[in-house]
Amino acid sequence: MFKRFLIAALLAGAMAVTSCQRQVSYAEWEGPMELFKAGEDGYNTFRIPGMVVSKKGTVLAFAEARKNSHRDFGDIDLVVKRSEDGGRSWSDIIMVRDDGVNCCSSPTPVVLESGRILMLCTWQNNEVPFHHFAIHWFTMYSDDDGLTWSKPREITLPLVEPDWIMACIGPGHAIRLEKGVHKGRIVASCYHKWERPGDRLWQGRSFYIYSDDEGQTWQRGGFAGYGGNECMSTELANGDIMLNQREFKRWGDDIGIRYQRLVSISKDGGESFVDTWYDPNLPSAICEGSIIRYRHGHERDNWLLFATPTAQTRTELKVKLSKDCGQSWDPIYDGVYDKEAYSDMAELPDGSVGIIYEAGNTTSHDLLVFDIIPAAQIR
């Protein structure tokens, strides 16, 4: 009898903890918030956001901190800010990686089962011209919720080819698979470019890299056909992976399809792709976009959220909701700035969704804005 009582008590305690976790609440949101501002801490510009929520519920917002200009090359550091109250208040800038005058770019974080925050990123020697550099990829990690970071560890080989003139991980978050035979696998979305004189069609495509040992070793997965560029992924309810890609401008010019997102599906944990199409329901600037699966109350459903500037000039950022695995989309959020570009999203512990995006009224390089989409708005 005592044993039964003890088991019942333990189960009740576990249920109470789970209930408390589901009842997380925060102060009323008064956003949007200008999270990173041009000129802050001596940096010219902050760009290329990434965002995850740790096992403890800490929101981590990453960025490229560009020292001397808004351009994609030069002295660029990787930084993060932390929030322990659902994005209502934030820490000062924390340095993730500073390699002198060299370029540390494309922050691509993912939360591991252990709670470790793993960061994948790209590195460029500042002395080599942009788009023609020796490609180097690295991982770093934090075991204290983003307060401190390990030294970088290179993972370049055998993931990239020597004839590629550019290859980047992300940007935006990577994913850790939760279903099927590849449960626990880390999958990072990547893209590359290469030159073939006289052939403008064969210059860009997206692909995966993956790790089955918590980021210790990496393999190159499938290529999603031609025409893909910066990309981000989400795991669907059935364990498939959906890759959403920026359309590569030169490819789009030649085949007569521009300003639409390129979508691909993998059914084997990122090792190959079975389908790729342009989605006319997702008009987009030639720009990065972000995608997540929304799970709050819909764990078994394919509710997706996608964010991108919908006008061709990197304006009119919208977040769209799909309740049918991307067959149809409805807008639920509009950006409030004149110029808007790159973004990332993460589901917060209370069921709301945090979004960080580039914005400004003069250029989209002025700010990285953080805002919250309430759970009641995602319906």
Side-chain angles (χ1 to χ4, degrees):
M1 178 67 72
F2 175 77
K3 183 181 292 186
R4 290 180 181 177
F5 174 81
L6 179 61
I7 292 173
L10 291 172
L11 287 173
M15 290 176 65
V17 171
T18 302
S19 176
C20 289
Q21 290 174 342
R22 290 177 179 174
Q23 294 175 5
V24 171
S25 62
Y26 301 110
E28 184 177 352
W29 176 242
E30 298 179 356
M33 177 185 294
E34 297 178 352
L35 186 56
F36 292 90
K37 301 179 183 180
E40 184 178 353
D41 277 21
Y43 288 102
N44 177 278
T45 307
F46 295 89
R47 288 205 59 202
I48 320 299
M51 186 163 59
V52 293
V53 178
S54 77
K55 292 278 188 177
K56 296 179 180 180
T58 303
V59 187
L60 300 172
F62 298 86
E64 291 183 9
R66 301 186 173 189
K67 192 71 175 180
N68 300 314
S69 77
H70 69 272
R71 298 184 180 277
D72 294 334
F73 54 89
D75 184 348
I76 299 178
D77 302 332
L78 295 180
V79 298
V80 67
K81 287 188 177 184
R82 304 170 69 256
S83 174
E84 297 181 356
D85 58 2
R88 274 64 180 177
S89 62
W90 294 83
S91 70
D92 293 334
I93 287 176
I94 297 170
M95 183 62 64
V96 178
R97 186 178 185 189
D98 176 0
D99 191 34
V101 299
N102 295 316
C103 175
C104 306
S105 62
S106 296
T108 307
V110 62
V111 180
L112 305 186
E113 180 62 27
S114 64
R116 170 174 287 182
I117 313 298
L118 182 69
M119 164 70 73
L120 299 95
C121 57
T122 305
W123 180 91
Q124 172 188 349
N125 186 325
N126 194 42
E127 297 179 355
V128 181
F130 182 60
H131 282 200
H132 291 80
F133 59 88
I135 299 161
H136 296 272
W137 287 352
F138 290 85
T139 62
M140 305 172 64
Y141 64 85
S142 172
D143 286 331
D144 56 12
D145 253 25
L147 289 168
T148 61
W149 292 85
S150 71
K151 294 181 179 179
R153 182 175 68 89
E154 187 164 5
I155 60 167
T156 306
L157 297 176
L159 304 177
V160 302
E161 299 293 337
D163 63 334
W164 293 354
I165 63 170
M166 183 179 183
C168 288
I169 304 172
H173 63 273
I175 60 174
R176 183 178 182 276
L177 301 184
E178 298 181 357
K179 295 180 178 294
V181 297
H182 300 297
K183 181 178 180 180
R185 171 175 288 182
I186 306 164
V187 180
S189 309
C190 310
Y191 73 97
H192 78 98
K193 301 178 183 178
W194 73 102
E195 287 184 322
R196 294 182 63 174
D199 191 348
R200 297 173 66 231
L201 294 181
W202 298 77
Q203 296 198 26
R205 57 182 174 174
S206 304
F207 64 100
Y208 282 136
I209 61 172
Y210 62 88
S211 172
D212 289 319
D213 54 11
E214 298 286 82
Q216 295 303 306
T217 61
W218 293 85
Q219 299 183 62
R220 194 169 68 197
F223 289 88
Y226 300 106
N229 197 256
E230 294 166 326
C231 49
M232 200 178 299
S233 296
T234 190
E235 184 181 18
L236 303 179
N238 65 356
D240 291 353
I241 309 174
M242 176 179 283
L243 177 68
N244 188 290
Q245 305 150 74
R246 166 181 169 173
E247 172 259 308
F248 186 49
K249 183 177 180 180
R250 293 181 181 178
W251 175 271
D253 285 345
D254 284 339
I255 65 174
I257 296 178
R258 292 189 65 184
Y259 307 113
Q260 295 181 17
R261 303 299 294 188
L262 184 61
V263 182
S264 301
I265 298 292
S266 174
K267 291 183 173 293
D268 56 7
E271 296 176 22
S272 65
F273 288 92
V274 297
D275 200 7
T276 297
W277 68 95
Y278 283 91
D279 190 343
N281 296 314
L282 291 178
S284 173
I286 306 300
C287 185
E288 179 260 19
S290 54
I291 189 168
I292 62 172
R293 184 162 70 91
Y294 183 68
R295 304 186 184 191
H296 184 71
H298 306 281
E299 289 83 0
R300 298 182 180 180
D301 301 323
N302 280 313
W303 283 37
L304 306 177
L305 292 173
F306 175 72
T308 194
T310 56
Q312 298 178 6
T313 54
R314 292 193 176 184
T315 57
E316 301 179 28
L317 180 138
K318 295 183 184 296
V319 177
K320 294 184 176 182
L321 168 66
S322 174
K323 299 180 182 179
D324 53 13
C325 201
Q327 298 301 305
S328 61
W329 296 89
D330 295 306
I332 61 167
Y333 174 90
D334 294 312
V336 296
Y337 291 82
D338 292 339
K339 304 288 185 180
E340 294 154 338
Y342 286 46
S343 65
D344 200 4
M345 295 182 289
E347 187 173 326
L348 304 183
D350 65 347
S352 62
V353 168
I355 179 171
I356 181 172
Y357 60 94
E358 299 175 349
N361 291 324
T362 303
T363 75
S364 61
H365 308 146
D366 296 340
L367 305 163
L368 283 178
V369 173
F370 176 79
D371 206 354
I372 289 176
I373 306 172
Q377 194 171 322
I378 307 171
R379 52 192 172 88

